[in-house]
Amino acid sequence: MGNLHRRKPNDRARQIVTTIIGIVIGFFIGISIPSASLNKINIPSNIITSLDVAITDIHGSTSTSPKTESLENVGSTTVPKIHVPTNPRGAESLPPGIVVPESDLYLRRLWGDPNEDLQKKPKYLVTFTVGIDQRNNINAAIKKFSEDFMIMLFHYDGHTSEWDQFEWSKRAIHISVRKQTKWWYAKRFLHPNVVSAFEYIFIWDEDLGVEHFNGDKYIELVKKHGLEISQPGLEPNNGLTWEMTKRRGDREVHMDTEEKPGWCNDPHLPPCAAFVEIMAPVFSREAWRCVWHLIQNDLVHGWGLDFALRRCVEPAHEKIGVVDSQWIVHQVIPSLGSQGQSEDGKAPWEGVRARCKNEWAQFQSRLTNADKAYLAQYGKE
């Protein structure tokens, strides 16, 4: 024990001397090596990003606000924090300059410069809901429209390739879903943001005779008379039709009529004014944006819709009209009736007609109840 006590001072002295020598050597080594910059060291970007995140977490914030962050800092490794409440719903986290809220139906190439894809942009859209049995009738109708009109066919019978016998068919848009009506297609494929490139949208049946019709002249008259919702006049001697939509031979356009006694409580309301039928309507881009929302998702025949179209333009009795000098013939071919199903011994068309009437009643009830609910909110009921 005595020897251990005598060696302790020597051990402490040796440790002190060793420490001093280490400090001196370290000092001289440090000043003899050039300083190194992190910018010259090749560190993988994912590691740098991780370090940035770690440092940010430690300090609680970075020195640069996302709103004032320079473009040099915005890249694959950093994303600015963005919230723009005026952006379309769901796109609030995107910079407004990258948001594309609308589309079009123009056909584009799979190669080349996108800016060179379209040599011509049609200004109007014409849609027909068709079956193969009416292909010759549709072919005759489409010849009445110039290259300013884009053609879109909705096929309710599943036949599409057979239409390639017509040269124009290769440039048309074909959508095939069996046993559906034009309003079913319109609700799903003609959203206002998709057809916004077109000034006017034609939503026509397949059984229309167009011998006395020209698409370009029709558009001229619609623009001349300021019609937002319109249709060609109907030959009065063919099929059943309302007085309002019958062609008049002494004028270009009419916007009102006289109906049977008691049918019109107000001369500015349907069916004496502000009224077109649903077989061959034409909508301006602005009017269609409203009408699309009016179409019910589950009511496919559209019966009753014609009486409600006036809600989408103001004043309706001045902006809804019939173009007399460009007129058509309604051939009244019950093609969709054959797409129905026989029940309880009734023919397929009888079931289709029964649903049409039922939908009309449902639509009227929904509209009435919606009006009442809205007015009740403001104590106006």
Side-chain angles (χ1 to χ4, degrees):
M1 291 295 292
N3 291 337
L4 288 175
H5 283 293
R6 283 195 296 270
R7 280 197 294 267
K8 279 187 178 181
N10 293 334
D11 292 340
R12 289 175 181 172
R14 189 179 297 109
Q15 291 174 357
I16 293 172
V17 171
T18 302
T19 301
I20 293 173
I21 294 173
I23 292 173
V24 172
I25 294 173
F27 173 77
F28 283 104
I29 292 175
I31 63 175
S32 65
I33 298 176
S35 61
S37 172
L38 281 176
N39 291 334
K40 296 181 181 179
I41 299 176
N42 187 16
I43 301 177
S45 61
N46 61 336
I47 296 179
I48 294 176
T49 302
S50 300
L51 291 174
D52 288 342
V53 173
I55 294 172
T56 301
D57 290 342
I58 293 173
H59 293 284
S61 64
T62 59
S63 60
T64 304
S65 170
K67 294 183 179 179
T68 60
E69 193 169 11
S70 68
L71 289 177
E72 294 179 356
N73 294 328
V74 179
S76 61
T77 59
T78 59
V79 177
K81 298 296 183 182
I82 293 176
H83 181 75
V84 185
T86 55
N87 276 0
R89 181 182 178 185
E92 294 87 352
S93 63
L94 301 178
I98 199 64
V99 174
V100 183
E102 297 178 340
S103 184
D104 59 59
L105 294 174
Y106 300 139
L107 305 182
R108 298 180 181 275
R109 304 175 300 177
L110 302 181
W111 66 94
D113 186 344
N115 294 322
E116 299 174 355
D117 280 349
L118 305 176
Q119 297 181 355
K120 184 176 181 61
K121 295 182 179 180
K123 296 184 289 185
Y124 319 111
L125 176 66
V126 180
T127 73
F128 290 95
T129 302
V130 302
I132 193 62
D133 291 342
Q134 298 302 316
R135 60 185 178 276
N136 291 327
N137 198 48
I138 293 298
N139 181 49
I142 289 176
K143 290 180 179 179
K144 296 293 184 172
F145 296 97
S146 69
E147 291 184 354
D148 282 332
F149 296 81
M150 173 166 277
I151 304 301
M152 189 173 191
L153 300 187
F154 299 128
H155 301 270
Y156 61 76
D157 63 352
H159 293 280
T160 54
S161 59
E162 293 89 338
W163 291 82
D164 285 346
Q165 64 181 284
F166 305 116
E167 179 60 30
W168 54 261
S169 178
K170 299 173 184 178
R171 301 185 301 273
I173 296 175
H174 299 263
I175 296 179
S176 178
V177 184
R178 292 176 181 272
K179 298 181 182 295
Q180 301 302 322
T181 72
K182 68 179 181 181
W183 299 112
W184 184 93
Y185 291 112
K187 188 65 174 179
R188 288 150 182 82
F189 299 105
L190 299 182
H191 188 281
N193 287 357
V194 173
V195 299
S196 62
F198 303 106
E199 296 179 37
Y200 293 91
I201 299 100
F202 293 60
I203 303 182
W204 281 19
D205 290 346
E206 62 181 339
D207 59 343
L208 304 176
V210 294
E211 182 180 355
H212 305 283
F213 178 86
N214 177 279
D216 290 316
K217 292 181 179 178
Y218 183 88
I219 292 294
E220 289 179 10
L221 291 170
V222 165
K223 292 182 176 180
K224 175 182 176 180
H225 293 274
L227 299 180
E228 297 290 325
I229 301 176
S230 64
Q231 73 162 78
L234 294 173
E235 169 55 52
N237 298 321
N238 285 69
L240 300 175
T241 184
W242 296 91
E243 288 296 324
M244 176 64 186
T245 53
K246 289 182 179 179
R247 176 180 70 92
R248 299 181 186 176
D250 59 348
R251 63 194 69 190
E252 290 181 335
V253 166
H254 73 269
M255 301 176 192
D256 57 20
T257 192
E258 291 184 4
E259 265 289 355
K260 299 177 179 64
W263 280 40
C264 296
N265 297 324
D266 187 323
H268 289 166
L269 295 180
C272 287
F275 177 74
V276 296
E277 297 189 60
I278 59 173
M279 70 183 71
V282 180
F283 304 95
S284 71
R285 176 168 43 211
E286 293 75 17
W288 178 247
R289 187 168 289 278
C290 170
V291 172
W292 183 88
H293 289 282
L294 188 63
I295 299 171
Q296 303 294 287
N297 194 58
D298 58 330
L299 306 184
V300 296
H301 289 289
W303 279 35
L305 188 65
D306 37 17
F307 281 81
L309 294 176
R310 62 188 177 88
R311 293 169 177 260
C312 288
V313 294
E314 180 65 34
H317 65 281
E318 296 179 5
K319 295 188 177 182
I320 299 179
V322 175
V323 179
D324 298 287
S325 58
Q326 294 296 313
W327 49 283
I328 59 177
V329 176
H330 187 203
Q331 299 168 338
V332 196
I333 300 174
S335 51
L336 272 179
S338 64
Q339 299 295 308
Q341 182 173 322
S342 178
E343 293 181 347
D344 300 326
K346 296 181 180 179
W349 70 266
E350 292 184 272
V352 172
R353 179 56 61 92
R355 173 155 179 163
C356 288
K357 294 179 178 179
N358 182 43
E359 286 193 2
W360 189 351
Q362 287 191 57
F363 180 72
Q364 182 61 40
S365 176
R366 291 181 187 183
L367 198 53
T368 299
N369 292 336
D371 283 339
K372 289 181 178 179
Y374 173 78
L375 295 174
Q377 291 180 354
Y378 300 95
K380 298 180 179 180
E381 188 172 11

